[in-house]
Amino acid sequence: MKKIILVSIILNIFFTKSAFAYLDPGTGSIILQALLGAIAAAASYCAFYWNKVKNFFKKIFKKKEKTE
Amino acid sequence: MELKKNPGSFRDPAGQIYNYNGRVIRIVKNFGKERYEFLKKSGIINDSINKGFLINTKDVTEEFESQKTEKNCYFLEHEKLDYISYPYEWNFYQLKSAALHHLDFQIFLIDKDFVMIDSTAYNIQFINYKPIFIDILSLDKYREGDYWVGHSQFLQQFLNPLLLRSVKGIQFNEWYKGNLDGIKTSELNDILSFKDKLSFNIFFSVVLLSKFEKKNKLNPKKALKKLQNKKSLSKNSYKSMLVQLKNWINKLEPLKKKTEWDNYSSINTYQKEEEQKKLKIVNEFSKKFKPKILADIGCNDGVYSFESLKAGTKKVVGFDIDINSIERAYKNSVNNNLNFIPIYFNAMNQSSQIGWNESERLSFNNRNNFDAMIALAFEHHLTLANNIPLDDAISWLMKIAPVGLIEFVDKKDETVKKILSLKGDIFPDYNIENFEKSILMNGKIINKTPISNTRTLYEFKKN
């Protein structure tokens, strides 16, 4: 399956973009996406938990405000 | 009536656009048959239309049964747009709104296991200020592990032009028109300062990408090898990348540079009274003709366009060379929900027939479909500031629509004095008599209203 994906990616790169470039500039984008995708996913994961932490403290402060 | 192929629609072997008696028909070719059948069956087309992402489209294959061949499999009709515009004619906020529309649509699609197979900005058009996606055959099924094929294209056609203006304060329009594929990442990288590159987002999307591109071009074998060892991209990563880009673009604002028209509304040489007179004439003119689509040449921040809409004009396309002014006009039209499309327009270097075979993107003249026009305080910028002979300028203006309003500004006017102050008066033939003669060469003068001692508003009707 992975091989099929790989072949389809490579085919895509070669057949959908400019024919003038020796190697399609899309390769840079693929390499970057692997990096950026991982960072973005990790960031969204962190943001999810960061929001949880923020909400936890918000709740505590709200409770305190109420008791005051 | 014959199906006439749209010269700008040729890249996608899966289908192309045709003109049929003024209707917009997309023919799905044999190559795209299976994909279209899958998209149709999945319901994604209707879902996307209902959510406002995709242009209204209906399958009219039955009507075209006689024209069906082995190659021409399906016939789809798209809602016809009043005016086609191109990204190099948009202002910053239009391009930003188009970019966000594209990303929102992609996020919507990936949640339903679909992707877009390209990211061209030309696939977005505007219905008033709202962007709409027009190419149904850009949609495909998402396959686990897929990379975003249009990533690089998205950066070139949406992000980089926005960054050019946002980070460096450089207007993207002329550069974009010079290279229809947008602004190359490597070129943008070259003009960024060290400080600009310290931004996390810019570092990854511009600096690193252009480094990779350069490296791969120099050593393609190594790049291909690297690529073969790459793992597939997870769906979560794909989506997170889209969301992260969206959040970034959402925050982008133009780096403001003052232009000569910034204080037009407040400190121009017009008297409020003159403006009121002109508004009244525009209002009456619009009520008389009830134009379906009116061109406002030199629209500035849109005050006369909006008056025309108020009086019953269905849609106004406003043209102006000053980017800050049309951005203000655009924001106003968004805030007031007006049917107005602002276009960046340099009359001395209009959009021409460009792209493949000089017919991929249409010129300003070839897109003219206006039933009325107004050009207030505009003619003297062509004739006196840019030396266009008076009769040429008037003929050109009158070609735009069969009826219209043109304001004549006399040499004694303060703005004209300013234009001629350094240049000197090199225009002996510029006067109201010759202005009228120029109108009469192409049509009739219907009305003539003095606005002030130096300005007169003419209503014309073309022969």
Side-chain angles (χ1 to χ4, degrees), chain B residues 369-385:
Chain B
N369 58 347
F370 304 106
D371 40 24
M373 64 81 77
I374 56 174
L376 306 184
F378 178 79
E379 148 283 318
H380 59 296
H381 292 286
L382 281 185
T383 50
L384 303 180

PDB file of all heavy atoms in Angstrom, chain B residues 369-385:
ATOM      1  N   ASN B 369     -18.785  44.278 -19.987  1.00  0.00           N
ATOM      2  CA  ASN B 369     -20.163  43.855 -20.199  1.00  0.00           C
ATOM      3  C   ASN B 369     -21.082  44.808 -19.449  1.00  0.00           C
ATOM      4  O   ASN B 369     -22.112  44.421 -18.936  1.00  0.00           O
ATOM      5  CB  ASN B 369     -20.365  42.417 -19.705  1.00  0.00           C
ATOM      6  CG  ASN B 369     -20.012  42.280 -18.240  1.00  0.00           C
ATOM      7  OD1 ASN B 369     -19.411  43.162 -17.650  1.00  0.00           O
ATOM      8  ND2 ASN B 369     -20.408  41.176 -17.631  1.00  0.00           N
ATOM      9  N   PHE B 370     -20.651  46.070 -19.376  1.00  0.00           N
ATOM     10  CA  PHE B 370     -21.374  47.035 -18.555  1.00  0.00           C
ATOM     11  C   PHE B 370     -22.509  47.667 -19.338  1.00  0.00           C
ATOM     12  O   PHE B 370     -22.370  47.946 -20.522  1.00  0.00           O
ATOM     13  CB  PHE B 370     -20.414  48.122 -18.073  1.00  0.00           C
ATOM     14  CG  PHE B 370     -19.235  47.541 -17.332  1.00  0.00           C
ATOM     15  CD1 PHE B 370     -17.980  47.500 -17.915  1.00  0.00           C
ATOM     16  CD2 PHE B 370     -19.407  47.008 -16.065  1.00  0.00           C
ATOM     17  CE1 PHE B 370     -16.905  46.949 -17.249  1.00  0.00           C
ATOM     18  CE2 PHE B 370     -18.334  46.453 -15.390  1.00  0.00           C
ATOM     19  CZ  PHE B 370     -17.078  46.414 -15.976  1.00  0.00           C
ATOM     20  N   ASP B 371     -23.630  47.888 -18.652  1.00  0.00           N
ATOM     21  CA  ASP B 371     -24.697  48.605 -19.358  1.00  0.00           C
ATOM     22  C   ASP B 371     -24.714  50.087 -19.009  1.00  0.00           C
ATOM     23  O   ASP B 371     -25.504  50.842 -19.554  1.00  0.00           O
ATOM     24  CB  ASP B 371     -26.077  47.934 -19.196  1.00  0.00           C
ATOM     25  CG  ASP B 371     -26.326  47.410 -17.822  1.00  0.00           C
ATOM     26  OD1 ASP B 371     -25.692  47.916 -16.895  1.00  0.00           O
ATOM     27  OD2 ASP B 371     -27.155  46.497 -17.673  1.00  0.00           O
ATOM     28  N   ALA B 372     -23.838  50.497 -18.077  1.00  0.00           N
ATOM     29  CA  ALA B 372     -23.679  51.924 -17.794  1.00  0.00           C
ATOM     30  C   ALA B 372     -22.317  52.153 -17.159  1.00  0.00           C
ATOM     31  O   ALA B 372     -21.712  51.207 -16.648  1.00  0.00           O
ATOM     32  CB  ALA B 372     -24.777  52.400 -16.849  1.00  0.00           C
ATOM     33  N   MET B 373     -21.835  53.394 -17.243  1.00  0.00           N
ATOM     34  CA  MET B 373     -20.543  53.691 -16.609  1.00  0.00           C
ATOM     35  C   MET B 373     -20.564  55.096 -16.031  1.00  0.00           C
ATOM     36  O   MET B 373     -21.349  55.942 -16.474  1.00  0.00           O
ATOM     37  CB  MET B 373     -19.402  53.534 -17.622  1.00  0.00           C
ATOM     38  CG  MET B 373     -19.392  54.482 -18.800  1.00  0.00           C
ATOM     39  SD  MET B 373     -18.698  56.091 -18.430  1.00  0.00           S
ATOM     40  CE  MET B 373     -16.987  55.723 -18.435  1.00  0.00           C
ATOM     41  N   ILE B 374     -19.720  55.333 -15.039  1.00  0.00           N
ATOM     42  CA  ILE B 374     -19.491  56.694 -14.564  1.00  0.00           C
ATOM     43  C   ILE B 374     -17.977  56.896 -14.439  1.00  0.00           C
ATOM     44  O   ILE B 374     -17.253  55.958 -14.094  1.00  0.00           O
ATOM     45  CB  ILE B 374     -20.198  56.996 -13.214  1.00  0.00           C
ATOM     46  CG1 ILE B 374     -19.796  56.009 -12.112  1.00  0.00           C
ATOM     47  CG2 ILE B 374     -21.712  56.992 -13.374  1.00  0.00           C
ATOM     48  CD1 ILE B 374     -20.349  56.357 -10.726  1.00  0.00           C
ATOM     49  N   ALA B 375     -17.530  58.089 -14.759  1.00  0.00           N
ATOM     50  CA  ALA B 375     -16.108  58.429 -14.610  1.00  0.00           C
ATOM     51  C   ALA B 375     -16.057  59.858 -14.079  1.00  0.00           C
ATOM     52  O   ALA B 375     -16.080  60.816 -14.850  1.00  0.00           O
ATOM     53  CB  ALA B 375     -15.387  58.298 -15.940  1.00  0.00           C
ATOM     54  N   LEU B 376     -16.055  59.959 -12.756  1.00  0.00           N
ATOM     55  CA  LEU B 376     -16.087  61.281 -12.142  1.00  0.00           C
ATOM     56  C   LEU B 376     -14.677  61.680 -11.718  1.00  0.00           C
ATOM     57  O   LEU B 376     -13.965  60.887 -11.112  1.00  0.00           O
ATOM     58  CB  LEU B 376     -17.023  61.278 -10.927  1.00  0.00           C
ATOM     59  CG  LEU B 376     -18.446  60.775 -11.232  1.00  0.00           C
ATOM     60  CD1 LEU B 376     -19.338  60.887 -10.014  1.00  0.00           C
ATOM     61  CD2 LEU B 376     -19.068  61.536 -12.380  1.00  0.00           C
ATOM     62  N   ALA B 377     -14.311  62.918 -12.065  1.00  0.00           N
ATOM     63  CA  ALA B 377     -12.982  63.433 -11.739  1.00  0.00           C
ATOM     64  C   ALA B 377     -11.896  62.453 -12.176  1.00  0.00           C
ATOM     65  O   ALA B 377     -10.991  62.113 -11.440  1.00  0.00           O
ATOM     66  CB  ALA B 377     -12.863  63.710 -10.239  1.00  0.00           C
ATOM     67  N   PHE B 378     -12.032  61.971 -13.399  1.00  0.00           N
ATOM     68  CA  PHE B 378     -11.100  60.950 -13.884  1.00  0.00           C
ATOM     69  C   PHE B 378     -10.405  61.370 -15.184  1.00  0.00           C
ATOM     70  O   PHE B 378      -9.191  61.204 -15.329  1.00  0.00           O
ATOM     71  CB  PHE B 378     -11.859  59.634 -14.106  1.00  0.00           C
ATOM     72  CG  PHE B 378     -11.010  58.528 -14.660  1.00  0.00           C
ATOM     73  CD1 PHE B 378     -10.162  57.821 -13.825  1.00  0.00           C
ATOM     74  CD2 PHE B 378     -11.028  58.209 -16.010  1.00  0.00           C
ATOM     75  CE1 PHE B 378      -9.333  56.825 -14.322  1.00  0.00           C
ATOM     76  CE2 PHE B 378     -10.206  57.223 -16.523  1.00  0.00           C
ATOM     77  CZ  PHE B 378      -9.366  56.522 -15.671  1.00  0.00           C
ATOM     78  N   GLU B 379     -11.189  61.917 -16.092  1.00  0.00           N
ATOM     79  CA  GLU B 379     -10.707  62.193 -17.460  1.00  0.00           C
ATOM     80  C   GLU B 379      -9.411  63.000 -17.484  1.00  0.00           C
ATOM     81  O   GLU B 379      -8.490  62.727 -18.263  1.00  0.00           O
ATOM     82  CB  GLU B 379     -11.884  62.835 -18.220  1.00  0.00           C
ATOM     83  CG  GLU B 379     -11.622  63.842 -19.281  1.00  0.00           C
ATOM     84  CD  GLU B 379     -11.257  65.209 -18.754  1.00  0.00           C
ATOM     85  OE1 GLU B 379     -11.850  65.717 -17.778  1.00  0.00           O
ATOM     86  OE2 GLU B 379     -10.345  65.779 -19.342  1.00  0.00           O
ATOM     87  N   HIS B 380      -9.266  63.985 -16.574  1.00  0.00           N
ATOM     88  CA  HIS B 380      -8.061  64.843 -16.596  1.00  0.00           C
ATOM     89  C   HIS B 380      -6.804  64.083 -16.182  1.00  0.00           C
ATOM     90  O   HIS B 380      -5.706  64.497 -16.520  1.00  0.00           O
ATOM     91  CB  HIS B 380      -8.265  66.096 -15.749  1.00  0.00           C
ATOM     92  CG  HIS B 380      -8.581  65.838 -14.315  1.00  0.00           C
ATOM     93  ND1 HIS B 380      -9.724  65.195 -13.907  1.00  0.00           N
ATOM     94  CD2 HIS B 380      -7.895  66.125 -13.180  1.00  0.00           C
ATOM     95  CE1 HIS B 380      -9.738  65.115 -12.600  1.00  0.00           C
ATOM     96  NE2 HIS B 380      -8.640  65.664 -12.118  1.00  0.00           N
ATOM     97  N   HIS B 381      -6.983  62.964 -15.465  1.00  0.00           N
ATOM     98  CA  HIS B 381      -5.795  62.164 -15.113  1.00  0.00           C
ATOM     99  C   HIS B 381      -5.246  61.445 -16.345  1.00  0.00           C
ATOM    100  O   HIS B 381      -4.052  61.234 -16.478  1.00  0.00           O
ATOM    101  CB  HIS B 381      -6.132  61.159 -14.011  1.00  0.00           C
ATOM    102  CG  HIS B 381      -6.425  61.832 -12.709  1.00  0.00           C
ATOM    103  ND1 HIS B 381      -5.455  62.386 -11.937  1.00  0.00           N
ATOM    104  CD2 HIS B 381      -7.597  62.074 -12.077  1.00  0.00           C
ATOM    105  CE1 HIS B 381      -6.000  62.939 -10.863  1.00  0.00           C
ATOM    106  NE2 HIS B 381      -7.311  62.762 -10.931  1.00  0.00           N
ATOM    107  N   LEU B 382      -6.165  61.081 -17.255  1.00  0.00           N
ATOM    108  CA  LEU B 382      -5.713  60.456 -18.507  1.00  0.00           C
ATOM    109  C   LEU B 382      -5.082  61.508 -19.414  1.00  0.00           C
ATOM    110  O   LEU B 382      -3.976  61.331 -19.926  1.00  0.00           O
ATOM    111  CB  LEU B 382      -6.898  59.840 -19.253  1.00  0.00           C
ATOM    112  CG  LEU B 382      -7.457  58.492 -18.803  1.00  0.00           C
ATOM    113  CD1 LEU B 382      -8.545  58.059 -19.786  1.00  0.00           C
ATOM    114  CD2 LEU B 382      -6.363  57.437 -18.774  1.00  0.00           C
ATOM    115  N   THR B 383      -5.812  62.604 -19.603  1.00  0.00           N
ATOM    116  CA  THR B 383      -5.415  63.566 -20.620  1.00  0.00           C
ATOM    117  C   THR B 383      -4.254  64.458 -20.188  1.00  0.00           C
ATOM    118  O   THR B 383      -3.301  64.632 -20.926  1.00  0.00           O
ATOM    119  CB  THR B 383      -6.621  64.456 -20.993  1.00  0.00           C
ATOM    120  OG1 THR B 383      -7.182  64.944 -19.774  1.00  0.00           O
ATOM    121  CG2 THR B 383      -7.664  63.688 -21.754  1.00  0.00           C
ATOM    122  N   LEU B 384      -4.359  65.014 -18.972  1.00  0.00           N
ATOM    123  CA  LEU B 384      -3.349  65.991 -18.555  1.00  0.00           C
ATOM    124  C   LEU B 384      -2.184  65.348 -17.801  1.00  0.00           C
ATOM    125  O   LEU B 384      -1.035  65.735 -17.993  1.00  0.00           O
ATOM    126  CB  LEU B 384      -3.998  67.074 -17.692  1.00  0.00           C
ATOM    127  CG  LEU B 384      -5.165  67.810 -18.375  1.00  0.00           C
ATOM    128  CD1 LEU B 384      -5.752  68.861 -17.456  1.00  0.00           C
ATOM    129  CD2 LEU B 384      -4.727  68.449 -19.689  1.00  0.00           C
ATOM    130  N   ALA B 385      -2.475  64.358 -16.967  1.00  0.00           N
ATOM    131  CA  ALA B 385      -1.379  63.742 -16.211  1.00  0.00           C
ATOM    132  C   ALA B 385      -0.635  62.718 -17.067  1.00  0.00           C
ATOM    133  O   ALA B 385       0.556  62.493 -16.893  1.00  0.00           O
ATOM    134  CB  ALA B 385      -1.906  63.093 -14.947  1.00  0.00           C
TER     135      ALA B 385
END
